[in-house]
Short mmCIF file of all heavy atoms in Angstrom, two decimals:
data_model
loop_
_atom_site.label_atom_id
_atom_site.label_comp_id
_atom_site.label_asym_id
_atom_site.label_seq_id
_atom_site.Cartn_x
_atom_site.Cartn_y
_atom_site.Cartn_z
N MET A 1 0.84 -1.20 0.00
CA MET A 1 0.00 0.00 0.00
C MET A 1 0.87 1.25 0.00
O MET A 1 0.61 2.17 -0.74
CB MET A 1 -0.92 -0.04 1.23
CG MET A 1 -1.73 1.19 1.41
SD MET A 1 -3.38 0.93 0.78
CE MET A 1 -4.19 2.35 1.42
N ALA A 2 1.88 1.25 0.86
CA ALA A 2 2.77 2.41 0.93
C ALA A 2 3.49 2.60 -0.40
O ALA A 2 3.70 3.73 -0.85
CB ALA A 2 3.75 2.27 2.07
N GLU A 3 3.89 1.49 -1.02
CA GLU A 3 4.59 1.59 -2.31
C GLU A 3 3.67 2.16 -3.38
O GLU A 3 4.09 2.97 -4.20
CB GLU A 3 5.11 0.22 -2.74
CG GLU A 3 5.95 0.29 -4.01
CD GLU A 3 6.56 -1.05 -4.38
OE1 GLU A 3 6.88 -1.83 -3.47
OE2 GLU A 3 6.68 -1.30 -5.58
N GLN A 4 2.41 1.76 -3.35
CA GLN A 4 1.44 2.28 -4.32
C GLN A 4 1.23 3.78 -4.11
O GLN A 4 1.15 4.54 -5.07
CB GLN A 4 0.12 1.53 -4.17
CG GLN A 4 -0.90 1.89 -5.24
CD GLN A 4 -2.20 1.10 -5.08
OE1 GLN A 4 -2.48 0.57 -4.00
NE2 GLN A 4 -2.96 1.01 -6.15
N ASN A 5 1.16 4.22 -2.86
CA ASN A 5 1.03 5.65 -2.57
C ASN A 5 2.25 6.42 -3.04
O ASN A 5 2.13 7.53 -3.58
CB ASN A 5 0.81 5.87 -1.06
CG ASN A 5 -0.58 5.47 -0.61
OD1 ASN A 5 -1.49 5.34 -1.41
ND2 ASN A 5 -0.73 5.25 0.68
N THR A 6 3.41 5.82 -2.83
CA THR A 6 4.65 6.47 -3.27
C THR A 6 4.67 6.61 -4.78
O THR A 6 5.05 7.65 -5.32
CB THR A 6 5.88 5.66 -2.79
OG1 THR A 6 5.85 5.60 -1.37
CG2 THR A 6 7.17 6.31 -3.24
N GLN A 7 4.24 5.56 -5.49
CA GLN A 7 4.19 5.62 -6.94
C GLN A 7 3.20 6.68 -7.42
O GLN A 7 3.47 7.41 -8.37
CB GLN A 7 3.82 4.25 -7.52
CG GLN A 7 4.93 3.22 -7.39
CD GLN A 7 4.49 1.83 -7.85
OE1 GLN A 7 3.32 1.58 -8.08
NE2 GLN A 7 5.46 0.93 -7.96
N SER A 8 2.06 6.76 -6.76
CA SER A 8 1.06 7.78 -7.11
C SER A 8 1.62 9.18 -6.88
O SER A 8 1.43 10.07 -7.71
CB SER A 8 -0.21 7.59 -6.29
OG SER A 8 -0.85 6.39 -6.63
N LEU A 9 2.30 9.35 -5.76
CA LEU A 9 2.90 10.65 -5.47
C LEU A 9 4.00 10.99 -6.47
O LEU A 9 4.10 12.12 -6.94
CB LEU A 9 3.45 10.68 -4.04
CG LEU A 9 2.43 10.77 -2.93
CD1 LEU A 9 3.11 10.63 -1.57
CD2 LEU A 9 1.66 12.08 -3.01
N ASP A 10 4.82 9.99 -6.81
CA ASP A 10 5.87 10.22 -7.80
C ASP A 10 5.28 10.64 -9.14
O ASP A 10 5.78 11.55 -9.79
CB ASP A 10 6.72 8.95 -7.98
CG ASP A 10 7.64 8.68 -6.80
OD1 ASP A 10 7.83 9.59 -5.95
OD2 ASP A 10 8.18 7.55 -6.73
N ALA A 11 4.20 9.98 -9.54
CA ALA A 11 3.55 10.32 -10.81
C ALA A 11 2.97 11.73 -10.75
O ALA A 11 3.09 12.50 -11.72
CB ALA A 11 2.46 9.30 -11.13
N ALA A 12 2.38 12.07 -9.63
CA ALA A 12 1.81 13.41 -9.48
C ALA A 12 2.89 14.48 -9.50
O ALA A 12 2.74 15.53 -10.12
CB ALA A 12 1.00 13.50 -8.18
N VAL A 13 4.01 14.20 -8.84
CA VAL A 13 5.12 15.16 -8.82
C VAL A 13 5.70 15.31 -10.22
O VAL A 13 6.00 16.42 -10.67
CB VAL A 13 6.21 14.71 -7.82
CG1 VAL A 13 7.50 15.49 -8.00
CG2 VAL A 13 5.70 14.86 -6.39
N GLU A 14 5.84 14.20 -10.93
CA GLU A 14 6.36 14.25 -12.31
C GLU A 14 5.44 15.06 -13.21
O GLU A 14 5.90 15.89 -14.00
CB GLU A 14 6.54 12.84 -12.85
CG GLU A 14 7.20 12.82 -14.22
CD GLU A 14 7.49 11.41 -14.73
OE1 GLU A 14 7.50 10.47 -13.92
OE2 GLU A 14 7.69 11.27 -15.94
N LYS A 15 4.14 14.84 -13.08
CA LYS A 15 3.18 15.59 -13.89
C LYS A 15 3.24 17.08 -13.55
O LYS A 15 3.24 17.93 -14.44
CB LYS A 15 1.76 15.06 -13.69
CG LYS A 15 0.75 15.75 -14.56
CD LYS A 15 -0.62 15.13 -14.45
CE LYS A 15 -1.58 15.83 -15.38
NZ LYS A 15 -2.89 15.21 -15.42
N ALA A 16 3.30 17.41 -12.27
CA ALA A 16 3.38 18.81 -11.85
C ALA A 16 4.66 19.46 -12.36
O ALA A 16 4.65 20.61 -12.81
CB ALA A 16 3.30 18.92 -10.33
N THR A 17 5.75 18.70 -12.32
CA THR A 17 7.02 19.21 -12.81
C THR A 17 6.95 19.47 -14.32
O THR A 17 7.43 20.50 -14.80
CB THR A 17 8.16 18.22 -12.49
OG1 THR A 17 8.21 18.03 -11.07
CG2 THR A 17 9.50 18.73 -12.97
N ASP A 18 6.37 18.54 -15.05
CA ASP A 18 6.21 18.72 -16.50
C ASP A 18 5.36 19.95 -16.82
O ASP A 18 5.70 20.74 -17.71
CB ASP A 18 5.58 17.48 -17.13
CG ASP A 18 6.52 16.30 -17.18
OD1 ASP A 18 7.75 16.48 -17.01
OD2 ASP A 18 6.02 15.16 -17.37
N LEU A 19 4.27 20.11 -16.09
CA LEU A 19 3.40 21.28 -16.30
C LEU A 19 4.13 22.57 -15.97
O LEU A 19 3.99 23.58 -16.68
CB LEU A 19 2.13 21.16 -15.47
CG LEU A 19 1.14 20.07 -15.92
CD1 LEU A 19 0.02 19.93 -14.90
CD2 LEU A 19 0.59 20.39 -17.30
N ALA A 20 4.93 22.55 -14.92
CA ALA A 20 5.70 23.74 -14.55
C ALA A 20 6.71 24.08 -15.64
O ALA A 20 6.87 25.25 -16.00
CB ALA A 20 6.41 23.51 -13.22
N HIS A 21 7.40 23.06 -16.18
CA HIS A 21 8.35 23.31 -17.27
C HIS A 21 7.65 23.87 -18.50
O HIS A 21 8.17 24.78 -19.16
CB HIS A 21 9.11 22.03 -17.62
CG HIS A 21 10.18 21.70 -16.64
ND1 HIS A 21 10.22 20.52 -15.95
CD2 HIS A 21 11.26 22.41 -16.22
CE1 HIS A 21 11.27 20.50 -15.16
NE2 HIS A 21 11.91 21.64 -15.28
N GLN A 22 6.48 23.36 -18.82
CA GLN A 22 5.71 23.89 -19.95
C GLN A 22 5.35 25.35 -19.72
O GLN A 22 5.45 26.18 -20.63
CB GLN A 22 4.44 23.07 -20.18
CG GLN A 22 4.69 21.69 -20.76
CD GLN A 22 3.41 20.88 -20.87
OE1 GLN A 22 2.31 21.36 -20.56
NE2 GLN A 22 3.53 19.65 -21.31
N ALA A 23 4.91 25.66 -18.51
CA ALA A 23 4.55 27.04 -18.18
C ALA A 23 5.75 27.96 -18.29
O ALA A 23 5.65 29.09 -18.79
CB ALA A 23 3.94 27.12 -16.79
N ILE A 24 6.90 27.49 -17.83
CA ILE A 24 8.13 28.29 -17.92
C ILE A 24 8.49 28.55 -19.37
O ILE A 24 8.82 29.68 -19.76
CB ILE A 24 9.28 27.58 -17.17
CG1 ILE A 24 9.03 27.63 -15.66
CG2 ILE A 24 10.63 28.20 -17.53
CD1 ILE A 24 9.93 26.70 -14.86
N GLU A 25 8.42 27.53 -20.21
CA GLU A 25 8.76 27.70 -21.63
C GLU A 25 7.77 28.65 -22.32
O GLU A 25 8.17 29.48 -23.14
CB GLU A 25 8.78 26.34 -22.34
CG GLU A 25 9.97 25.49 -21.96
CD GLU A 25 11.31 26.19 -22.18
OE1 GLU A 25 11.52 26.78 -23.25
OE2 GLU A 25 12.15 26.16 -21.26
N GLN A 26 6.50 28.54 -21.99
CA GLN A 26 5.50 29.44 -22.57
C GLN A 26 5.77 30.87 -22.13
O GLN A 26 5.67 31.81 -22.93
CB GLN A 26 4.09 29.02 -22.18
CG GLN A 26 3.63 27.76 -22.87
CD GLN A 26 2.28 27.28 -22.35
OE1 GLN A 26 1.78 27.73 -21.33
NE2 GLN A 26 1.69 26.34 -23.07
N THR A 27 6.12 31.05 -20.87
CA THR A 27 6.41 32.38 -20.35
C THR A 27 7.64 32.97 -21.05
O THR A 27 7.65 34.14 -21.43
CB THR A 27 6.62 32.34 -18.83
OG1 THR A 27 5.43 31.84 -18.23
CG2 THR A 27 6.94 33.71 -18.27
N ARG A 28 8.66 32.15 -21.23
CA ARG A 28 9.87 32.62 -21.93
C ARG A 28 9.53 33.04 -23.35
O ARG A 28 10.04 34.05 -23.84
CB ARG A 28 10.94 31.53 -21.93
CG ARG A 28 11.60 31.35 -20.60
CD ARG A 28 12.64 30.26 -20.65
NE ARG A 28 13.32 30.15 -19.35
CZ ARG A 28 13.97 29.10 -18.94
NH1 ARG A 28 14.06 28.03 -19.72
NH2 ARG A 28 14.55 29.08 -17.76
N ALA A 29 8.69 32.26 -24.03
CA ALA A 29 8.30 32.60 -25.40
C ALA A 29 7.51 33.91 -25.42
O ALA A 29 7.71 34.75 -26.30
CB ALA A 29 7.47 31.47 -26.01
N GLU A 30 6.62 34.10 -24.45
CA GLU A 30 5.85 35.33 -24.38
C GLU A 30 6.75 36.53 -24.10
O GLU A 30 6.56 37.61 -24.67
CB GLU A 30 4.77 35.22 -23.30
CG GLU A 30 3.66 34.26 -23.68
CD GLU A 30 2.70 33.98 -22.54
OE1 GLU A 30 2.76 34.66 -21.50
OE2 GLU A 30 1.88 33.06 -22.69
N ILE A 31 7.74 36.35 -23.25
CA ILE A 31 8.69 37.43 -22.96
C ILE A 31 9.47 37.79 -24.21
O ILE A 31 9.66 38.97 -24.52
CB ILE A 31 9.63 37.04 -21.79
CG1 ILE A 31 8.85 37.01 -20.48
CG2 ILE A 31 10.82 37.98 -21.70
CD1 ILE A 31 9.60 36.37 -19.32
N ALA A 32 9.92 36.78 -24.95
CA ALA A 32 10.68 37.02 -26.18
C ALA A 32 9.81 37.77 -27.20
O ALA A 32 10.28 38.72 -27.85
CB ALA A 32 11.18 35.71 -26.77
N ARG A 33 8.56 37.38 -27.34
CA ARG A 33 7.65 38.09 -28.26
C ARG A 33 7.44 39.52 -27.82
O ARG A 33 7.44 40.45 -28.63
CB ARG A 33 6.30 37.36 -28.35
CG ARG A 33 6.31 36.15 -29.25
CD ARG A 33 4.90 35.65 -29.55
NE ARG A 33 4.21 35.19 -28.36
CZ ARG A 33 4.26 33.97 -27.88
NH1 ARG A 33 4.99 33.05 -28.48
NH2 ARG A 33 3.58 33.64 -26.80
N SER A 34 7.26 39.72 -26.53
CA SER A 34 7.06 41.06 -25.99
C SER A 34 8.28 41.95 -26.24
O SER A 34 8.15 43.11 -26.64
CB SER A 34 6.77 40.98 -24.49
OG SER A 34 6.62 42.27 -23.94
N GLN A 35 9.47 41.38 -26.03
CA GLN A 35 10.69 42.14 -26.27
C GLN A 35 10.82 42.49 -27.75
O GLN A 35 11.22 43.61 -28.10
CB GLN A 35 11.91 41.36 -25.79
CG GLN A 35 11.99 41.28 -24.28
CD GLN A 35 13.09 40.35 -23.80
OE1 GLN A 35 13.50 39.42 -24.50
NE2 GLN A 35 13.55 40.57 -22.58
N ALA A 36 10.49 41.55 -28.62
CA ALA A 36 10.56 41.80 -30.06
C ALA A 36 9.57 42.89 -30.46
O ALA A 36 9.89 43.78 -31.26
CB ALA A 36 10.30 40.52 -30.84
N LEU A 37 8.37 42.84 -29.90
CA LEU A 37 7.38 43.87 -30.21
C LEU A 37 7.82 45.24 -29.69
O LEU A 37 7.63 46.26 -30.38
CB LEU A 37 6.02 43.51 -29.61
CG LEU A 37 5.27 42.39 -30.32
CD1 LEU A 37 4.04 41.99 -29.52
CD2 LEU A 37 4.86 42.81 -31.72
N SER A 38 8.40 45.28 -28.52
CA SER A 38 8.89 46.54 -27.96
C SER A 38 9.98 47.12 -28.84
O SER A 38 10.01 48.34 -29.09
CB SER A 38 9.42 46.33 -26.54
OG SER A 38 8.37 46.00 -25.67
N GLN A 39 10.89 46.27 -29.31
CA GLN A 39 11.96 46.74 -30.18
C GLN A 39 11.39 47.25 -31.50
O GLN A 39 11.81 48.29 -32.01
CB GLN A 39 12.99 45.64 -30.44
CG GLN A 39 14.17 46.10 -31.26
CD GLN A 39 14.94 47.24 -30.60
OE1 GLN A 39 15.33 47.12 -29.44
NE2 GLN A 39 15.14 48.33 -31.30
N THR A 40 10.42 46.55 -32.05
CA THR A 40 9.79 46.96 -33.29
C THR A 40 9.09 48.31 -33.11
O THR A 40 9.17 49.18 -33.98
CB THR A 40 8.78 45.90 -33.77
OG1 THR A 40 9.49 44.67 -33.98
CG2 THR A 40 8.09 46.31 -35.05
N GLU A 41 8.42 48.47 -31.98
CA GLU A 41 7.74 49.73 -31.69
C GLU A 41 8.75 50.88 -31.59
O GLU A 41 8.52 51.97 -32.13
CB GLU A 41 6.96 49.61 -30.38
CG GLU A 41 6.18 50.86 -30.03
CD GLU A 41 5.42 50.73 -28.73
OE1 GLU A 41 5.73 49.83 -27.93
OE2 GLU A 41 4.51 51.55 -28.51
N ALA A 42 9.86 50.63 -30.92
CA ALA A 42 10.90 51.66 -30.80
C ALA A 42 11.50 52.00 -32.16
O ALA A 42 11.71 53.18 -32.48
CB ALA A 42 11.99 51.19 -29.85
N ASP A 43 11.73 50.98 -32.98
CA ASP A 43 12.27 51.21 -34.32
C ASP A 43 11.29 52.01 -35.17
O ASP A 43 11.68 52.92 -35.92
CB ASP A 43 12.59 49.89 -35.01
CG ASP A 43 13.74 49.14 -34.38
OD1 ASP A 43 14.49 49.73 -33.57
OD2 ASP A 43 13.89 47.93 -34.68
N LEU A 44 10.02 51.68 -35.07
CA LEU A 44 8.99 52.39 -35.83
C LEU A 44 8.90 53.84 -35.38
O LEU A 44 8.81 54.74 -36.23
CB LEU A 44 7.64 51.69 -35.66
CG LEU A 44 6.46 52.30 -36.41
CD1 LEU A 44 6.73 52.35 -37.91
CD2 LEU A 44 5.20 51.52 -36.12
N ALA A 45 8.93 54.08 -34.09
CA ALA A 45 8.87 55.45 -33.58
C ALA A 45 10.07 56.26 -34.09
O ALA A 45 9.92 57.42 -34.49
CB ALA A 45 8.83 55.45 -32.06
N GLN A 46 11.22 55.63 -34.10
CA GLN A 46 12.42 56.31 -34.59
C GLN A 46 12.30 56.60 -36.09
O GLN A 46 12.66 57.69 -36.55
CB GLN A 46 13.66 55.45 -34.33
CG GLN A 46 14.97 56.12 -34.71
CD GLN A 46 16.17 55.24 -34.38
OE1 GLN A 46 16.04 54.06 -34.09
NE2 GLN A 46 17.34 55.84 -34.42
N ALA A 47 11.77 55.66 -36.85
CA ALA A 47 11.60 55.86 -38.28
C ALA A 47 10.60 56.98 -38.56
O ALA A 47 10.81 57.82 -39.44
CB ALA A 47 11.13 54.56 -38.95
N ILE A 48 9.52 57.02 -37.79
CA ILE A 48 8.52 58.08 -37.95
C ILE A 48 9.14 59.44 -37.64
O ILE A 48 8.92 60.41 -38.37
CB ILE A 48 7.28 57.81 -37.07
CG1 ILE A 48 6.51 56.61 -37.61
CG2 ILE A 48 6.39 59.05 -36.98
CD1 ILE A 48 5.43 56.10 -36.68
N GLU A 49 9.91 59.50 -36.57
CA GLU A 49 10.56 60.75 -36.20
C GLU A 49 11.53 61.20 -37.30
O GLU A 49 11.56 62.38 -37.66
CB GLU A 49 11.31 60.57 -34.88
CG GLU A 49 11.92 61.86 -34.36
CD GLU A 49 12.55 61.67 -32.99
OE1 GLU A 49 12.04 60.87 -32.20
OE2 GLU A 49 13.56 62.34 -32.73
N GLN A 50 12.28 60.26 -37.84
CA GLN A 50 13.23 60.60 -38.90
C GLN A 50 12.51 61.10 -40.15
O GLN A 50 12.91 62.10 -40.75
CB GLN A 50 14.08 59.38 -39.25
CG GLN A 50 15.15 59.67 -40.28
CD GLN A 50 16.00 58.43 -40.59
OE1 GLN A 50 15.75 57.35 -40.06
NE2 GLN A 50 17.00 58.62 -41.43
N ILE A 51 11.43 60.46 -40.53
CA ILE A 51 10.66 60.88 -41.70
C ILE A 51 10.08 62.27 -41.46
O ILE A 51 10.11 63.14 -42.34
CB ILE A 51 9.55 59.86 -42.01
CG1 ILE A 51 10.17 58.57 -42.54
CG2 ILE A 51 8.55 60.43 -43.02
CD1 ILE A 51 9.20 57.40 -42.62
N ALA A 52 9.55 62.49 -40.26
CA ALA A 52 8.98 63.80 -39.94
C ALA A 52 10.03 64.89 -40.01
O ALA A 52 9.77 65.99 -40.52
CB ALA A 52 8.33 63.75 -38.56
N GLU A 53 11.22 64.60 -39.50
CA GLU A 53 12.30 65.59 -39.55
C GLU A 53 12.72 65.88 -40.99
O GLU A 53 13.00 67.02 -41.34
CB GLU A 53 13.50 65.08 -38.74
CG GLU A 53 13.29 65.14 -37.25
CD GLU A 53 14.42 64.51 -36.46
OE1 GLU A 53 15.41 64.05 -37.08
OE2 GLU A 53 14.32 64.47 -35.23
N GLU A 54 12.74 64.85 -41.82
CA GLU A 54 13.10 65.03 -43.22
C GLU A 54 12.09 65.91 -43.95
O GLU A 54 12.42 66.59 -44.92
CB GLU A 54 13.22 63.67 -43.91
CG GLU A 54 14.43 62.88 -43.49
CD GLU A 54 14.43 61.47 -44.04
OE1 GLU A 54 13.50 61.09 -44.78
OE2 GLU A 54 15.37 60.72 -43.72
N HIS A 55 10.85 65.89 -43.50
CA HIS A 55 9.80 66.66 -44.14
C HIS A 55 9.49 67.95 -43.40
O HIS A 55 8.52 68.63 -43.72
CB HIS A 55 8.54 65.80 -44.30
CG HIS A 55 8.74 64.69 -45.26
ND1 HIS A 55 8.66 64.87 -46.63
CD2 HIS A 55 9.04 63.37 -45.09
CE1 HIS A 55 8.90 63.73 -47.25
NE2 HIS A 55 9.12 62.79 -46.32
N GLY A 56 10.30 68.26 -42.39
CA GLY A 56 10.18 69.53 -41.70
C GLY A 56 9.00 69.66 -40.76
O GLY A 56 8.58 70.75 -40.41
N ALA A 57 8.42 68.56 -40.34
CA ALA A 57 7.29 68.61 -39.42
C ALA A 57 7.65 67.87 -38.14
O ALA A 57 8.35 66.86 -38.18
CB ALA A 57 6.07 67.93 -40.06
N PRO A 58 7.18 68.35 -36.99
CA PRO A 58 7.42 67.64 -35.74
C PRO A 58 6.75 66.26 -35.80
O PRO A 58 5.69 66.09 -36.40
CB PRO A 58 6.75 68.49 -34.68
CG PRO A 58 6.58 69.84 -35.31
CD PRO A 58 6.48 69.61 -36.79
N ALA A 59 7.35 65.27 -35.19
CA ALA A 59 6.87 63.89 -35.26
C ALA A 59 5.54 63.70 -34.53
O ALA A 59 4.82 62.77 -34.82
CB ALA A 59 7.92 62.94 -34.70
N ASP A 60 5.22 64.57 -33.57
CA ASP A 60 4.01 64.34 -32.78
C ASP A 60 2.78 65.06 -33.33
O ASP A 60 1.74 65.09 -32.71
CB ASP A 60 4.24 64.75 -31.32
CG ASP A 60 4.66 66.19 -31.16
OD1 ASP A 60 4.84 66.88 -32.19
OD2 ASP A 60 4.83 66.65 -30.01
N GLU A 61 2.86 65.62 -34.50
CA GLU A 61 1.68 66.27 -35.08
C GLU A 61 0.91 65.32 -35.95
O GLU A 61 1.37 64.40 -36.50
CB GLU A 61 2.10 67.48 -35.92
CG GLU A 61 2.45 68.66 -35.08
CD GLU A 61 2.69 69.93 -35.91
OE1 GLU A 61 2.45 69.90 -37.13
OE2 GLU A 61 3.09 70.91 -35.34
#
């Protein structure tokens, strides 16, 4: 009986560990996407500012 409980607990711990690893990987992927979007946004803002300066207008108008 004790061995069966131990096996059940081991299986539960393994499943929880697998789920935790999946959550970590998903979080890392979301962070990477967020960082890429932030960089793209910064690049776009810089490009807009440069275009506005080339055309003699402030970028925020």
Side-chain angles (χ1 to χ4, degrees):
M1 174 99 168
E3 185 175 327
Q4 186 179 20
N5 287 342
T6 300
Q7 289 174 349
S8 294
L9 286 173
D10 287 346
V13 167
E14 185 175 342
K15 183 174 182 175
T17 301
D18 288 344
L19 290 172
H21 283 121
Q22 288 176 3
I24 290 167
E25 288 304 314
Q26 288 174 347
T27 300
R28 286 180 177 159
E30 290 171 10
I31 289 169
R33 281 192 297 272
S34 177
Q35 289 172 335
L37 286 172
S38 293
Q39 184 60 52
T40 300
E41 183 181 17
D43 292 346
L44 180 59
Q46 184 178 13
I48 290 170
E49 185 175 327
Q50 184 179 3
I51 290 168
E53 287 174 2
E54 289 172 1
H55 293 280
D60 58 356
E61 283 188 7

